[in-house]
């Protein structure tokens, strides 16, 4: 009965909607991300503005140019061009939509509208209205006009009659309700929101070709390159090859043989540089790195900036790899190299890094004045400084003092282990370390420590003890006049076992810290009311040991930007077995408050208990073995040897049985 | 009513589909094989093994003592490598899980581990060829030798460490003398 056929959008009524929706789908998120990025970049630069000492490196203008180029994306780029084109396309579609009058749908039949009565009209009203209309529009009564032909007049009258009948006559009404038209079912149309020229005639091969190219080539290529790209770079953002190279060294060499130079060598051999600067060999890169450390110019300064600006990511990637080997020794060396690169200090002069990182200082001044660390610098008064450091003017001496004052040093004034909701440290529990930190200027070490207030365990703290880690202001960029980039200051926090010098926890990144203590004047800093104390908590993935006893650890706070800003603190974990009554009381309280969750919690602790046993067993094995001998490295070797030996012995015998 | 479809159409369709799949699978396998072939071994050379094999293949067989000592050197090197690989295995597993190293490295490492096992077995077989049940003696001596080597290396390194510390102290003294 019904005859359906497809019709294309010949008058371009619908497809602009389709196009506009499609482009909107792309440009709306794109625009939001663009705006967001612009905002955060601006905010970052303002909030984290580093301290300006007034000192400028000789090639400062070039460095600034390079910095701004890396931070801001250029205005004329392919990205921006496509962005503009998409907006233009969207505009065109919108224009087409708004400028196209919708053609009246002839097939749409609304008896109320034709009769010109309200939808709420009663039958009586309809009848009277129809009568009026039929008198007015009856073909016998209406004369031909210029505007309307006889046929039109007649059809109008027929429409009015039909409308009237569809509202009053039962049979016709049924037709109307069922099919939407008093005459019964009408032709149905299935439109496709594509302009006709694309489908029929010359356009169709183009469409097919586009479709094939998109589905067959573009889509697989994009997905493939995304996939292989995600495989090429590790989670830490370094090239997989670079990670492999460093891993190989860590796996094959002895940790005490990995020197600062060795780290610089791996750095120079990174895959990143082979991609960015394909013309340069490994040795070229190394000499560029060394030239930077010695603050010497190279032939192509731009290459130097490219090389140096990449080092941070690479070294952070190495740090991540080292942490899996738990080697504290190598971690410190990597961070030494990081600091050396940020402050441009040769590896042979690291001992004087504290002073060399201050503007206007160099190795000759250090040697002649014999001032090589903050402690010595602190003891000089300003007049001595001027003569002792052979500074050109008094003005420079001021700058030196100011810059040194703005190097933040953290003192760990207190650190202890804590289990949320417990007074003591129980075995096999999840603990964390609470640190109280006092920031002071590197050349003002004698600030008093205010009385520490013991933190009350509120509900909020119990729920998320680590909220305080995120509360402080973001640390500013490092003061690094020779570094071609914005270097984010942070401290790496390590928890290290005292006995074997292996990393137990970390590195965690301390990126938020209140540095307001640095702004205090000398007089103010004597007053302990003004001194600000910050709290940082180190989460621990390992559970506390199974057996009661005293375990010793040390906390290391290592800066990634400044020499002499590191901090070390020894602390003990006093594991005490929990009195049994206590446990019951706790359990009861727990039962009362959340009885339903108890089962889940029970399961969780069971699960954890299994894990605990395993991990603590491992730990105790390690401990035992390292107690026996002090040569821990060889020791683990013997352990492994024994096991390997056994399996080796088994292998041939197995064979024999076969 | 409908235009009749040629009988060949489905046949051609299936043929094209199958051939594409076959081509894909052969190319994929070949590439995989090639990537395995191109994989760098974890330890590229094994000199003591090469020495032993050359000795074993010599036409007039060298004295057993020579062969045994060459085998012992080979076993020592094997032990050293096995230990290193086992130490690194844990770290690599963690890193691989975190996504800090590539799948390729993981693959390469596990393959090398298997190769190492084969090498140990080969070594044990050779030992048993010399004398039945010699393998266990061989490996326990080799282990002791490896340990001894490690301690020696460490001892030898002490001089360098001492010199380094000396230098560091001298540098630190620049400041100390000022006080």
């Amino acid at each position: 009965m019904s005859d359906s056929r497809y019709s294309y959008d010949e008058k371009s009524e619908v497809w602009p909607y389709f196009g506009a929706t499609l482009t909107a789908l792309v440009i709306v998120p794109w625009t939001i991300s663009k705006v967001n990025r612009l905002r955060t970049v601006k905010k970052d630069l303002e909030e984290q503005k580093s301290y300006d000492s007034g000192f400028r490196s000789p090639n400062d203008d070039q460095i600034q140019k390079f910095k701004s180029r890396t931070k801001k994306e250029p205005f004329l780029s392919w990205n921006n061009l496509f962005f503009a084109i998409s907006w233009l396309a969207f505009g065109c579609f919108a224009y087409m939509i708004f400028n196209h009058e919708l053609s009246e749908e002839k097939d749409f039949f609304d008896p109320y509208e034709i009769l010109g009565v309200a939808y709420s009209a009663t039958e009586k009203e309809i009848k009277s209205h129809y009568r009026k209309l039929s008198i007015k529009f009856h073909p016998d009564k209406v004369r031909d006009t210029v505007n309307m032909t006889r046929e039109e007049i007649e059809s109008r009258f027929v429409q009015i009659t039909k409308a009237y009948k569809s509202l009053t006559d039962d049979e016709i009404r049924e037709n109307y309700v069922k099919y939407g038209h008093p005459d019964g079912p009408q032709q149905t149309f299935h439109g496709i929101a594509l302009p006709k020229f694309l489908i029929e005639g010359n356009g169709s091969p183009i469409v097919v070709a586009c479709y094939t190219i998109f589905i067959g080539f573009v889509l697989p290529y994009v997905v493939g390159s995304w996939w292989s790209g995600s495989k090429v770079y590790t989670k830490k953002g370094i090239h997989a090859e670079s990670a492999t190279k460093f891993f190989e060294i860590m796996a094959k060499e002895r940790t005490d043989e990995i020197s600062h130079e060795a780290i610089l060598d791996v750095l120079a051999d990174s895959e990143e540089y082979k991609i960015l600067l394909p013309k340069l060999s490994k040795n070229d890169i190394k000499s560029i790195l060394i030239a930077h450390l010695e603050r010497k110019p190279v032939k192509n300064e731009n290459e130097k900036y490219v090389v140096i600006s990449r080092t941070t990511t690479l070294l952070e990637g190495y740090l991540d790899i080292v942490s899996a080997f738990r080697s504290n020794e190598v971690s410190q060396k990597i961070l030494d190299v990081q600091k050396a690169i940020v402050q441009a200090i040769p590896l042979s002069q690291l001992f004087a890094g504290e002073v060399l990182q201050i503007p206007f200082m160099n190795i000759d001044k250090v040697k002649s004045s014999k001032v090589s660390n903050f402690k010595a610098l602190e003891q000089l008064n300003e007049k001595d400084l001027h003569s002792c450091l052979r500074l050109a003017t008094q003005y420079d001496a001021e700058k030196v003092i100011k810059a040194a004052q703005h190097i933040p040093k953290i003192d760990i004034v207190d650190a202890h282990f804590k289990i949320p909701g417990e007074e003591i440290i129980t075995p096999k529990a999840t603990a964390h370390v609470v640190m109280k930190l006092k920031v002071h200027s590197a050349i003002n070490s004698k600030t008093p420590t205010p009385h520490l207030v013991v933190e009350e365990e509120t509900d909020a703290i119990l729920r998320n003890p680590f909220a305080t880690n995120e509360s402080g202001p973001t640390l500013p960029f490092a003061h690094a006049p020779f570094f071609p980039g914005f270097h984010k200051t942070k401290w790496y926090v390590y928890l290290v076992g005292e006995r074997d010098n292996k990393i137990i926890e970390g590195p965690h990144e301390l990126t938020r810290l209140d540095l307001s203590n640095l702004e205090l004047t000398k007089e103010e800093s004597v007053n302990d009311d003004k001194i600000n104390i910050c709290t940082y908590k180190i989460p621990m993935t390992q559970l506390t040991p199974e057996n009661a006893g005293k375990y010793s650890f040390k906390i290391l706070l290592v800066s990634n930007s400044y020499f002499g800003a590191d901090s070390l603190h020894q602390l003990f974990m006093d594991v005490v077995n929990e009195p049994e009554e206590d446990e019951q009381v706790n359990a009861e309280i727990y039962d009362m408050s959340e009885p339903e969750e108890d089962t889940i919690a029970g399961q969780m602790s069971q699960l954890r208990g299994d894990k605990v046993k395993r991990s603590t067993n491992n730990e105790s094995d390690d401990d035992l073995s390292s107690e026996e001998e002090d040569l821990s490295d060889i020791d683990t070797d013997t352990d492994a040897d024994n096991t390997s030996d056994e399996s080796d012995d088994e292998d041939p015998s197995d064979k024999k049985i076969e | 009513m409908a235009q009749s479809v040629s009988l060949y159409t489905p046949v051609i369709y299936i043929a094209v589909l199958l051939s594409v799949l076959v081509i894909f699978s052969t190319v994929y396998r070949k590439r995989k094989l090639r990537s395995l072939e191109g994989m760098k071994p974890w330890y590229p050379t094994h000199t003591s093994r090469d020495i032993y094999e050359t000795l074993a293949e010599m036409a007039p067989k060298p004295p057993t003592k020579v062969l045994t000592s060459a085998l012992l050197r080979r076993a020592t090197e094997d032990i050293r490598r096995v230990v290193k690989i086992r130490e690194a295995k844990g770290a690599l597993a963690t890193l691989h899980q975190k996504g800090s190293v590539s799948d390729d490295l993981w693959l390469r490492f596990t393959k090398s581990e298997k190769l190492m096992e084969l090498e140990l077995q080969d070594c044990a077989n050779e030992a048993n060829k010399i004398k039945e049940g010699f393998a266990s003696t061989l490996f326990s001596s080799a282990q002791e030798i490896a340990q001894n080597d490690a301690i020696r290396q460490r001892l030898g390194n002490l001089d360098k460490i001492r010199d380094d510390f000396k230098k560091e102290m001298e540098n630190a003294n620049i400041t100390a003398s000022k006080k």
Side-chain angles (χ1 to χ4, degrees), chain B residues 2-167:
Chain B
Q3 221 179 318
S4 64
V5 177
S6 157
L7 186 67
Y8 292 114
T9 311
V11 176
I12 291 170
Y13 175 75
I14 287 172
V16 166
L17 195 71
L18 280 181
S19 57
V20 164
L21 287 177
V22 167
I23 289 170
F24 176 77
S25 99
T26 45
V27 167
Y28 181 75
R29 274 185 219 179
K30 256 188 203 157
R31 283 182 68 171
K32 208 171 171 189
L33 196 70
R34 214 177 301 143
S35 78
L36 275 180
E37 273 174 359
M39 205 175 263
K40 272 188 280 172
W42 193 248
Y43 287 106
T45 55
H46 195 328
T47 322
S48 46
R49 184 196 57 198
D50 296 344
I51 291 173
Y52 173 79
E53 272 171 4
T54 331
L55 281 173
E57 281 165 12
M58 265 157 101
K61 231 177 176 193
T64 328
K65 245 185 191 171
V66 176
L67 269 184
T68 318
S69 53
L71 191 60
L72 200 57
R73 269 338 301 184
R74 178 179 166 184
T76 311
E77 179 62 20
D78 286 349
I79 292 276
R80 201 184 67 77
R81 289 181 181 189
V82 164
V83 168
K84 277 282 168 202
I85 284 181
R86 287 206 183 170
E87 276 177 356
K89 182 78 192 278
L92 182 65
T94 341
L95 288 171
H96 185 238
Q97 209 176 9
K98 273 200 293 181
S100 299
V101 292
S102 62
D103 293 345
D104 287 345
L105 178 63
W106 174 254
L107 206 67
R108 195 180 138 201
F109 193 84
T110 41
K111 291 271 181 288
S112 310
E113 219 185 348
K114 284 216 180 94
L115 274 180
M116 206 59 230
E117 268 168 36
L118 288 179
E119 159 67 15
L120 278 174
Q121 236 174 53
D122 195 37
C123 204
N125 287 343
E126 290 290 321
N128 284 337
K129 247 190 234 165
I130 292 172
K131 196 182 150 200
E132 202 56 43
F134 179 53
S136 57
T137 333
L138 176 81
F139 279 116
S140 60
S141 332
Q143 186 202 322
E144 275 164 25
I145 293 172
Q147 210 170 327
N148 189 18
D149 279 352
I151 293 173
R152 259 164 213 275
Q153 209 177 356
R154 204 164 260 251
L155 269 174
N157 218 23
L158 278 181
D159 283 340
K160 199 185 154 273
I161 294 173
R162 189 190 57 203
D163 289 345
D164 285 353
F165 270 115
K166 220 174 177 179
K167 211 172 152 195

